[in-house]
Amino acid sequence: MNTKVVKVGIISKDDYRKRTIAIAKGEYEPKKNEPKIWFESLSSMAQILGSDNQKLLKLIIDHQPRSLAELERISSRKKSNLSRTLKTLERYGIVSLSIDNGNLIPIVEATDFKVQFGLHYGR
């Protein structure tokens, strides 16, 4: 199994918006060592990277399901719940979702996370 470490940052919604605008205007260029995934708070990060989702990511890595139905069977989670969770994880770049013969196939893109935050981070 390949390990992919992804830097995660905690930044307020307002500071994130300012950062994004500065990048779009060419006033700021993100550094290579900056986080690639951003959360508004530790609690929002805990929701996304909580134990249930960690178990789900591990199941995907270990079993490499070829469909949402297969993932439903091995995870004992309902399809609608899985679909919503996977789309959220995809939005954060933690999984990618591909379609093969009409089947949604989840692929784990981030296996390890390094968290970076501070009171003045993002300014």
Side-chain angles (χ1 to χ4, degrees):
M1 174 183 77
N2 290 339
T3 299
K4 182 177 179 190
V5 178
V6 177
K7 286 191 179 180
V8 174
I10 309 294
I11 190 172
S12 73
K13 199 177 268 187
D14 188 49
D15 283 344
Y16 183 78
R17 185 182 55 75
K18 288 176 186 172
R19 180 182 183 278
T20 302
I21 290 169
I23 292 168
K25 288 181 174 179
E27 297 169 354
Y28 179 75
E29 186 173 332
K31 293 162 190 61
K32 256 187 163 176
N33 64 343
E34 286 186 15
K36 301 294 182 234
I37 299 173
W38 294 94
F39 293 99
E40 187 176 352
S41 66
L42 284 171
S43 59
S44 64
M45 181 184 74
Q47 283 182 314
I48 304 300
L49 297 176
S51 60
D52 286 347
N53 286 347
Q54 289 177 41
K55 288 175 191 170
L56 179 63
L57 293 170
K58 183 86 170 101
L59 276 175
I60 294 168
I61 291 167
D62 291 346
H63 296 276
Q64 299 179 355
R66 301 297 300 160
S67 69
L68 202 53
E70 184 181 343
L71 184 56
E72 181 181 31
R73 278 192 308 279
I74 62 175
S75 71
S76 300
R77 288 172 68 169
K78 295 197 182 301
K79 238 186 215 183
S80 60
N81 173 281
L82 284 172
S83 180
R84 190 172 42 254
T85 299
L86 290 171
K87 286 179 181 166
T88 299
L89 292 170
E90 180 184 42
R91 201 169 52 243
Y92 283 98
I94 298 166
V95 301
S96 61
L97 301 173
S98 62
I99 297 177
D100 185 31
N101 291 328
N103 292 317
L104 188 67
I105 301 169
I107 299 161
V108 176
E109 298 293 342
T111 58
D112 293 85
F113 303 89
K114 184 174 183 177
V115 180
Q116 183 175 346
F117 68 98
L119 297 178
H120 297 289
Y121 197 70
R123 290 188 181 168

